[in-house]
Amino acid sequence: MKSVILIGFMGSGKSTVGSRLAKRLGYKFIDTDCAIEDVTGLTVERIFSKYGVKRFRGEEALLVTKLAGKDNLVISTGGGLVLSEENVRLLTTNGVFVSLRATADTIMKRVRNKRTRPLLAKGNLRETVTSLLEQRKEAYGIAELTIDVDQLTPEQIVDIIYKYLKEREYI
Ligand code: S3P
C-alpha cells in the first residue's frame, strides 16, 4: 500500500502523530530528521551550524531518493522537506500527502526548545514563525488531506487520517 507522508510546520505534531499512525497501520515509521541524524552521525542542529542549510537540504534530498516509491511507510518529514519540488515529485509516486496545520500561536507554545530547531533560533520567534508560515503556505497546500490540529489530540488526528485512508481505499 502507498506510504503516508506527513508534512507541515515545525511543532505541528508530525513525529508524534506519525509514530502512532504507523503503529495503527502496521507500517514502518520514518522520521526524516532522525534518519538524517543516523546517516550523518550528526544532530540536525550540528549540520546547520557546521555546514549550513544547503547541506541539510542535500541530506533530505538524498534520503528522499531512497524512500521514494516504497510501500507501507509512514514518513514524518522535516518542515522544510516539501519546499523542494523534486522531493515532492519523487514522494508522490507512491505516497499520500497529509498536512498537519497549526496556527502560529500553537506552534509558538510547542517549539519550546528552540535550540534544536535552527531556523527558529534567531530573532523574534513570533515574527519568524509567522513569516515562514506565510512563505510555506503553498508548499504545504499540496497535501490531499489537511487537518487543523490546534484543538485535536494526537489520537484524534490519527483517527481522522485512518478514516480518510480507509474511505479512499488506500488501506
Ligand atoms: C525544518 C524543520 C525541522 C528540521 C530542520 C528544518 C524546517 O524539522 O528538519 O530544523 O525547515 O522547517 P521539524 O519540522 O520536524 O521540526
Side-chain angles (χ1 to χ4, degrees), residues 66-90:
K66 292 180 192 158
L67 298 176
K70 289 203 171 161
D71 289 330
N72 298 10
L73 302 177
V74 174
I75 305 173
S76 288
T77 60
L81 187 140
V82 290
L83 298 176
S84 153
E85 280 178 22
E86 181 63 2
N87 287 348
V88 173
R89 192 185 68 76
L90 286 168

Side-chain angles (χ1 to χ4, degrees), residues 8-12 14-15 31-33 36 44-45 48 53 56-57 60 76-81 83 111 116-119 132 136 140:
F9 204 79
M10 293 168 262
S12 59
K14 293 164 291 180
S15 303
D31 181 298
T32 61
D33 288 342
I36 289 169
V44 169
E45 190 188 350
F48 270 80
V53 64
F56 182 73
R57 298 299 178 213
E60 282 187 323
S76 288
T77 60
L81 187 140
L83 298 176
V111 292
T116 61
R117 292 190 162 108
L119 293 182
L132 280 176
R136 293 178 172 190
Y140 298 145

Side-chain angles (χ1 to χ4, degrees), residues 42 64 69-70 120:
L42 298 165
V64 165
K70 289 203 171 161
L120 303 180

Side-chain angles (χ1 to χ4, degrees), residues 25-167:
L25 294 169
Y27 287 8
K28 188 176 173 196
F29 174 60
I30 294 182
D31 181 298
T32 61
D33 288 342
C34 296
I36 289 169
E37 292 188 338
D38 287 346
V39 164
T40 59
L42 298 165
T43 63
V44 169
E45 190 188 350
R46 188 79 184 125
I47 299 172
F48 270 80
S49 67
K50 198 163 178 215
Y51 303 105
V53 64
K54 259 200 178 164
R55 162 82 191 269
F56 182 73
R57 298 299 178 213
E59 294 294 343
E60 282 187 323
L62 186 62
L63 178 63
V64 165
T65 63
K66 292 180 192 158
L67 298 176
K70 289 203 171 161
D71 289 330
N72 298 10
L73 302 177
V74 174
I75 305 173
S76 288
T77 60
L81 187 140
V82 290
L83 298 176
S84 153
E85 280 178 22
E86 181 63 2
N87 287 348
V88 173
R89 192 185 68 76
L90 286 168
L91 290 172
T92 303
T93 55
N94 197 37
V96 182
F97 283 93
V98 176
S99 171
L100 304 188
R101 184 166 59 190
T103 57
D105 283 337
T106 298
I107 290 163
M108 303 257 308
K109 275 183 225 146
R110 291 191 189 167
V111 292
R112 276 168 251 125
N113 191 354
K114 286 190 276 170
R115 285 189 149 219
T116 61
R117 292 190 162 108
L119 293 182
L120 303 180
K122 282 189 208 137
N124 176 287
L125 182 61
R126 178 170 291 278
E127 277 170 20
T128 311
V129 168
T130 313
S131 125
L132 280 176
L133 272 177
E134 187 56 37
Q135 283 170 38
R136 293 178 172 190
K137 235 188 221 164
E138 223 174 284
Y140 298 145
I142 58 134
E144 61 176 80
L145 172 66
T146 296
I147 303 169
D148 286 307
V149 297
D150 297 71
Q151 312 295 334
L152 300 174
T153 64
E155 274 317 311
Q156 287 172 321
I157 301 168
V158 168
D159 285 344
I160 293 169
I161 300 172
Y162 190 85
K163 204 170 148 226
Y164 177 86
L165 296 171
K166 270 252 177 259
E167 275 169 11

